C-alpha cells in the first residue's frame, strides 16, 4: 500500500516481515505523512514527510539561493524512522553533520506532532559557533558574510541564525494542505518561491477564493511572519497597463493603481450601504424576503463576473512589460511580456510585525508558473516561480478544511 512491501528482498535480509513494517512503522506513523509547517517563530518552513523504502523521512524543503528564483528547491533530511534489525521503530535525528543519532517523535494529535533530538551534542562543531555559522551561511545563502555588503542584510542573516539554531531540531509541526483547484482559476494554485528584498527567497502558497486570490507565507521573516497573507489579488479589477514607453514612468503606473484603489473603496462603501439596507428591510418585514434578495445578489454577481470576463477577453494574449524606473528588483531576469495584471494589496509592517497595513500594488501574471507583484509604497518588485515538486498526502479533504487551515496558521502567526 505504501510502496514498501514490493521490496521483499530487503525485508528478507533484515528479517522484518511486511506485517511488522505495516503495524510498527506505517500504521503507527501514518498521521505524520504529508506537508507540515514548523513552529520556528516568524520564519516557519516547509517539511515533507514521505515513505522511502523501509524508512519514513522528514525532508525540509529550502528555497534556492537568493535571488535565483527559477532554480529548483533544495532539501535536507531532519529525521528518519526505520524498522531494521529491531522489532520496534527507531527514530533518528539527522540534523547536523555527524550522521544520524538518537531522536524522538511525539504525535500530539492528528494534525500536529513534535520532534526532539536526544543527542544535541551531535549538532556541535569543533570550531564552535563561528564554524557553525559559516557552515549554515554557505548552506542557507551560498556565500560568506564578507560577500554580503549590505549591513542591514547582514544583521537579518545573523538574527535568523541565532534564532533558528537555538531549537536544535526540537520542533512542533502543524499540518498544511495544498490549495484545491478549480477550472475557473486564473492559473493552477500551489506553492511558489518569491523574492523578498533583504530577507531573501521565501515560500508562498497561492490560493483562489472566488473573486480574490491570496498569497500566504509558508516561510516568513521578522517583518511579515510565516502564516500571514502577504498579497491579495482582486480578480474583479484587472489593470490596463500603459504603453511600454509610459510604463517606465512610475508616476503614471501609480496614478492608474490609485484610481483603481479609490474605485474599490467606493464599491466597498456601496456594498456596505446596500447590506445595511437589506438588513433593515429583513428586520422590518414579518416574513423576510430572503429569496428575492438572494436573487438580486446573484444577478449582480453574474453581471460583475460578466464584465470581468469581458475585460479579460479583450486583454491581449501577451503584452510588453518592464519595471518602471526607480522600482527595485532583486532579480532583473524577469519576463519582458505578461498576460494580464490585476489590482492587489500587499502586507507591509515594521520589525516584529508592528503597525501592519495593506498597501496598493500590481499583480503581474507572466505565465502558468510565474507571477510578480509591484509594491507601490515600497517601490519594489517581487518575482515568484512555481515549486515543481509532486508532494504526496498533501491534498485537503475539503475546501472547508483548507480554509480552516489558512485561518489557523494566520492566527498562530498573529
Amino acid at each position: 500500500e505504501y510502496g514498501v512491501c514490493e521490496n521483499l528482498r530487503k525485508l528478507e535480509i533484515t528479517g522484518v516481515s511486511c506485517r511488522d513494517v505495516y503495524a510498527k512503522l506505517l500504521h503507527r506513523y501514518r498521521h505524520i505523512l504529508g506537508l507540515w509547517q514548523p513552529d520556528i517563530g516568524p520564519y516557519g518552513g516547509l517539511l515533507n514527510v514521505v515513505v522511502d523504502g523501509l524508512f519514513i523521512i522528514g525532508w525540509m524543503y529550502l528555497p534556492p539561493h537568493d535571488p535565483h528564483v527559477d532554480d529548483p528547491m533544495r532539501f535536507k533530511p531532519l529525521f528518519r524512522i526505520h524498522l531494521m534489525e529491531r522489532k520496534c521503530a527507531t527514530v533518528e535525528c539527522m540534523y547536523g553533520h555527524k550522521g544520524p543519532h538518537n531522536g524522538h517523535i511525539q504525535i500530539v494529535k492528528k494534525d500536529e506532532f513534535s520532534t526532539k533530538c536526544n543527542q544535541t551534542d551531535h549538532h556541535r562543531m569543533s570550531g564552535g559557533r563561528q564554524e557553525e555559522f559559516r557552515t549554515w551561511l554557505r548552506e542557507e545563502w551560498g556565500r560568506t558574510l564578507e560577500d554580503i555588503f549590505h549591513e542591514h542584510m547582514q544583521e537579518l542573516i545573523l538574527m535568523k541564525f541565532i534564532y533558528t539554531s537555538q531549537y536544535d531540531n526540537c520542533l512542533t509541526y502543524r499540518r498544511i494542505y495544498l490549495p484545491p483547484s478549480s477550472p475557473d482559476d486564473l492559473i493552477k494554485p500551489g506553492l511558489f518561491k518569491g523574492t523578498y528584498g533583504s530577507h531573501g527567497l521565501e515560500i508562498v502558497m497561492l490560493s483562489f477564493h472566488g473573486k480574490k486570490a491570496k498569497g500566504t507565507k509558508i516561510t516568513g521573516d521578522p517583518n511579515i511572519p510565516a502564516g500571514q497573507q502577504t498579497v491579495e489579488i482582486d480578480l474583479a479589477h484587472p489593470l490596463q497597463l500603459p504603453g511600454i514607453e509610459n510604463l517606465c514612468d512610475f508616476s503614471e503606473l501609480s496614478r492608474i493603481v490609485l484610481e483603481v484603489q479609490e474605485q474599490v473603496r467606493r464599491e466597498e462603501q456601496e456594498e456596505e450601504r446596500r447590506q445595511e439596507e437589506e438588513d433593515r428591510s429583513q428586520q422590518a418585514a414579518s416574513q423576510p424576503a430572503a429569496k428575492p434578495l438572494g436573487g438580486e445578489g446573484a444577478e449582480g454577481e453574474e453581471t460583475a463576473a460578466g464584465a470581468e470576463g469581458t475585460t479579460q477577453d479583450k486583454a491581449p494574449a501577451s503584452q510588453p512589460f518592464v519595471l518602471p524606473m526607480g522600482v527595485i528588483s532583486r532579480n532583473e531576469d524577469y519576463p519582458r511580456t505578461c498576460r494580464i495584471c490585476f489590482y492587489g494589496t500587499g502586507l507591509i509592517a515594521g520589525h516584529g510585525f508592528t503597525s501592519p497595513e495593506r498597501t496598493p500594488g500590481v499583480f503581474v501574471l507572466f505565465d502558468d508558473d510565474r507571477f510578480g507583484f509591484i509594491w507601490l509604497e515600497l517601490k519594489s518588485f517581487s518575482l515568484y516561480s512555481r515549486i515543481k515538486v509532486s508532494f504526496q498526502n498533501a491534498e485537503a479533504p475539503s475546501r472547508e478544511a483548507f480554509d480552516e487551515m489558512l485561518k489557523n496558521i494566520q492566527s498562530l502567526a498573529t
Side-chain angles (χ1 to χ4, degrees), residues 221-381:
D221 53 67
N223 290 80
I224 307 297
Q228 289 296 334
Q229 186 181 314
T230 175
V231 295
E232 181 176 280
I233 302 102
D234 190 340
L235 299 175
H237 290 87
L239 292 176
Q240 184 61 50
L241 295 180
I244 195 70
E245 64 282 353
N246 291 325
L247 184 56
C248 293
D249 184 357
F250 179 79
S251 61
E252 178 63 14
L253 177 65
S254 180
R255 181 189 63 78
I256 294 172
V257 174
L258 294 179
E259 283 181 358
V260 177
Q261 181 188 38
E262 179 60 24
Q263 178 187 346
V264 170
R265 187 188 65 82
R266 289 196 302 268
E267 290 174 358
E268 289 175 348
Q269 288 179 341
E270 177 62 24
E271 177 61 25
E272 290 175 2
R273 184 192 62 77
R274 189 182 69 83
Q275 187 61 51
E276 289 174 359
E277 290 179 355
E278 287 184 3
D279 292 343
R280 284 196 294 268
S281 298
Q282 289 183 359
Q283 291 173 3
S286 55
Q287 294 294 330
K291 188 173 181 180
L293 287 171
E296 290 174 8
E299 182 181 350
E301 288 179 4
E302 288 175 6
T303 303
E308 175 194 343
T310 302
T311 305
Q312 291 192 40
D313 290 341
K314 290 180 180 178
S318 66
Q319 55 186 332
F321 177 81
V322 66
L323 286 176
M325 295 292 291
V327 174
I328 301 171
S329 176
R330 294 286 295 176
N331 192 329
E332 293 296 332
D333 191 24
Y334 60 86
R336 283 344 192 239
T337 60
C338 67
R339 289 184 186 173
I340 193 170
C341 299
F342 292 92
Y343 169 78
T345 59
L347 185 62
I348 64 173
H351 187 87
F353 197 48
T354 54
S355 305
E357 61 174 319
R358 303 212 68 86
T359 60
V362 182
F363 172 84
V364 185
L365 179 62
F366 294 115
D367 51 45
D368 288 340
D369 297 322
R370 288 177 296 180
F371 65 88
F373 192 84
I374 301 176
W375 306 75
L376 214 62
E377 187 167 319
L378 300 178
K379 282 193 174 183
S380 68
F381 174 73

Side-chain angles (χ1 to χ4, degrees), residues 40-142:
I40 314 179
Y43 298 105
L46 180 66
L47 181 84
N48 185 29
V49 183
V50 299
V51 175
D52 185 359
L54 297 178
F55 293 87
I56 291 177
I57 304 178
W59 295 97
M60 182 68 86
Y61 275 75
L62 306 169
H65 292 137
D66 178 58
H68 307 292
V69 71
D70 285 326
D71 285 358
M73 295 286 285
R74 300 173 295 126
F75 49 91
K76 64 179 181 180
L78 290 192
F79 64 82
R80 71 180 186 184
I81 315 167
H82 62 94
L83 193 70
M84 300 295 278
E85 294 82 3
R86 300 176 62 182
K87 293 298 182 180
C88 61
T90 299
V91 178
E92 293 177 319
C93 174
M94 304 290 286
Y95 191 77
H97 299 81
K98 295 184 179 179
H101 45 282
N102 188 25
H104 175 73
I105 286 180
Q106 179 180 2
I107 301 176
V108 181
K109 50 188 178 182
K110 185 178 179 181
D111 293 327
E112 184 177 320
F113 76 96
S114 62
T115 58
K116 180 181 179 182
C117 176
N118 296 328
Q119 294 177 285
T120 56
D121 56 303
H122 279 62
H123 306 166
R124 308 282 78 85
M125 290 185 169
S126 58
R129 294 287 278 177
Q130 287 188 343
E131 183 183 353
E132 291 171 20
F133 174 63
R134 284 194 295 268
T135 303
W136 175 88
L137 189 60
R138 286 195 301 270
E139 294 176 352
E140 186 85 3
W141 292 84

